[in-house]
Amino acid sequence: MIPKLFAFITIASSLTCPAEETVFPHKMPEKKPNFPLSAATERMFSYPAPRVQDNELFSHFKYTELKGFDYHGGDGTVSRRDPTRPIFANGKYYVWYTKRASPVPPIGSTHANEATDTIPSTDWDLCDIWYATSEDGFTWEEKGIAVPRPPKPVIGWRSVATPDILVWKGKYYLYYQAFNEPSGIKGDWCPTTASFADSPDGPWTPTKEQLIPFGKKGEWDQDAIHDPQPIVYKGKIYTYYKSAFNKWPDVRDKYAVAHGLAISDNPLGPFEKHHLNPVLNSGHETTYFPFKEGIAALAIKDGNEHSTMQYAPDGVNFEIACVVELTPTAAGPYTPDAFTDSGNGRGITWGLCHFINAGTSTTQHSILARFDCDLSLDWHDPAMKQTGVWHKPEVYFKQGLSRAQRERILSKPTKP
Ligand code: AAL
């Protein structure tokens, strides 16, 4: 009698109240299941899509060598690096970048005290800002200097480097680093300044002033404002920048980087730092673009969150959107809506980047290159969404042990 009653209750309750699932299903749920989940499974549903292939902020990066740039046989006397976003104007693409044309290759930041008026310390010492145009983004024609080093003591007299571009109310603004000593003397210390023009072909007028203030002594961005990258967002100019900190001159080996945000409603400032700075805790250069209602960022090389795409719906509070591989260095993405403030950013599909190790230790220089990707809401390129980037064994073996490491390992056998 009791078993019959029990069976009746079980059948009745299964009809009225279906058994709750508590095991993760085979078919990927679109929404977070409503039962206890591990931390990792919880996180699956905090990304733009639980499957990375469906994630609009995930992509492979494909690379193409550029045509049109001469590097003097790769002897280290000519270097091009840190490109801006390419922009489209007058029926063609324009890009600006740091160019070094020095009699000798750089001697390195640790020898900065030996740098002279003709001997550069780093690859971005003794540089000017040049520009090039292109019909297709693959073949470029170098047009000449956009912003030269000004005469001493004007800000940037030692080197002008690492520009980015802003188009605002029909005028053009270049923001860039302005060195007043060879990079490496105290650190990679420099302020950011600006030049403006009515046409992308110039002529450019320098403001001769610091654009974004350093932090006060003791604050993270007290010595350097690097990689300024402006976007028009919420009716204002949002300029993301990087600072290297926790470093020179007192401690030289505890380098850290983070990114800040400075906002203005005037392209020449005054800029006000966001009170939550830093807004990104990782990334050696700045690569930001409007995406949906917010801002997306690529963080590379430095920090716990390097090799990630990030997204902030408010342009300030970034969260990891996914991990990416073989990321473009110093990427300047072609971003048609960077300055349109559409409130519905469409993402990016290509841009220019640099490789800093084009030469050898005695011919050190950088080259520009093109990257392509699908970080766009309007494109769907499944080949860009595959997971896994496979390098030949040689690429891994190139990351070999040093002689000292090998000796250390062999001196302490790990066998029992
Ligand atoms: C870069 C950038 C800045 C630094 C140096 C030149 O790639 O982060 O520009 O100052 O390295």
Side-chain angles (χ1 to χ4, degrees):
M1 182 62 195
I2 287 174
K4 268 191 190 163
L5 180 61
F6 179 73
F8 171 76
I9 290 169
T10 310
I11 291 165
S13 68
S14 72
L15 287 175
T16 54
C17 162
E20 269 186 31
E21 277 183 77
T22 57
V23 176
F24 198 80
H26 175 71
K27 185 171 165 23
M28 178 66 86
E30 277 171 26
K31 290 204 178 114
K32 185 160 77 173
N34 189 19
F35 53 79
L37 301 170
S38 68
T41 311
E42 282 269 350
R43 273 205 308 284
M44 279 170 80
F45 297 92
S46 67
Y47 298 120
R51 258 173 37 98
V52 75
Q53 299 91 330
D54 305 324
N55 186 337
E56 296 282 10
L57 281 175
F58 172 75
S59 183
H60 271 203
F61 296 94
K62 311 270 183 185
Y63 295 88
T64 310
E65 277 184 50
L66 297 181
K67 293 217 169 84
F69 290 120
D70 179 70
Y71 288 92
H72 206 250
D75 66 1
T77 61
V78 175
S79 190
R80 292 183 187 82
R81 53 181 295 143
D82 289 300
T84 63
R85 296 178 201 288
I87 61 163
F88 194 74
N90 304 331
K92 50 191 183 255
Y93 297 105
Y94 282 74
V95 72
W96 292 261
Y97 45 87
T98 310
K99 181 175 174 186
R100 177 175 55 75
S102 52
V104 290
I107 51 174
S109 62
T110 50
H111 296 279
N113 284 320
E114 295 157 41
T116 68
D117 288 353
T118 50
I119 302 177
S121 60
T122 57
D123 192 29
W124 55 96
D125 185 27
L126 293 178
C127 288
D128 304 292
I129 293 168
W130 288 61
Y131 79 114
T133 62
S134 172
E135 303 285 329
D136 60 6
F138 290 92
T139 300
W140 292 83
E141 186 186 340
E142 189 160 77
K143 306 297 276 189
I145 294 188
V147 179
R149 271 165 278 167
K152 202 172 178 178
V154 178
I155 183 172
W157 61 267
R158 176 71 199 184
S159 191
V160 286
T162 321
D164 220 317
I165 183 79
L166 165 68
V167 185
W168 172 266
K169 297 188 178 163
K171 289 197 188 304
Y172 298 83
Y173 299 84
L174 281 170
Y175 293 177
Y176 49 93
Q177 298 179 198
F179 286 91
N180 301 307
E181 62 185 20
S183 164
I185 291 277
K186 294 195 280 294
D188 195 29
W189 289 8
C190 66
T192 281
T193 187
S195 284
F196 54 89
D198 290 332
S199 151
D201 291 298
W204 294 89
T205 306
T207 65
K208 305 182 181 175
E209 282 175 8
Q210 181 159 359
L211 182 71
I212 299 170
F214 288 142
K216 293 200 275 302
K217 276 285 163 230
E219 294 179 357
W220 70 288
D221 54 356
Q222 65 171 25
D223 301 318
I225 305 283
H226 290 168
D227 303 88
Q229 193 178 48
I231 289 179
V232 179
Y233 184 58
K234 295 183 179 173
K236 292 182 187 286
I237 298 148
Y238 272 49
T239 301
Y240 295 91
Y241 64 92
K242 176 198 88 184
S243 198
F245 63 108
N246 198 39
K247 197 182 174 187
W248 284 306
D250 17 9
V251 271
R252 290 199 166 221
D253 61 343
K254 302 280 188 230
Y255 166 77
V257 302
H259 294 192
L261 168 62
I263 301 174
S264 179
D265 42 27
N266 182 330
L268 299 181
F271 274 92
E272 197 169 319
K273 308 255 184 86
H274 198 279
H275 67 280
L276 294 179
N277 278 353
V279 295
L280 207 69
N281 63 33
S282 299
H284 189 76
E285 288 99 359
T286 48
T287 302
Y288 289 78
F289 55 90
F291 195 77
K292 297 185 175 171
E293 81 273 27
I295 302 288
L298 166 66
I300 69 148
K301 183 178 170 285
D302 292 323
N304 279 316
E305 298 178 4
H306 70 269
S307 301
T308 61
M309 288 302 305
Q310 307 230 357
Y311 180 62
D314 59 358
V316 174
N317 289 288
F318 286 88
E319 300 278 359
I320 294 174
C322 62
V323 174
V324 277
E325 288 178 77
L326 210 63
T327 51
T329 303
Y334 175 61
T335 316
D337 54 11
F339 315 122
T340 59
D341 199 13
S342 72
N344 183 18
R346 307 311 299 168
I348 58 162
T349 58
W350 70 278
L352 298 193
C353 60
H354 70 204
F355 293 108
I356 63 165
N357 54 352
T360 63
S361 59
T362 54
T363 60
Q364 205 213 325
H365 69 284
S366 306
I367 60 168
L368 299 177
R370 172 179 168 126
F371 68 91
D372 283 81
C373 59
D374 178 4
L375 294 168
S376 162
L377 295 170
D378 301 319
W379 281 28
H380 179 59
D381 182 348
M384 294 284 194
K385 298 284 180 183
Q386 288 165 12
T387 56
V389 175
W390 299 105
H391 300 291
K392 288 284 183 196
E394 300 82 73
V395 174
Y396 293 85
F397 294 140
K398 194 103 183 132
Q399 303 292 321
L401 291 166
S402 68
R403 185 193 296 256
Q405 286 171 320
R406 206 179 156 106
E407 278 167 10
R408 168 178 56 74
I409 291 162
L410 292 175
S411 71
K412 285 194 191 154
T414 47
K415 283 187 199 144

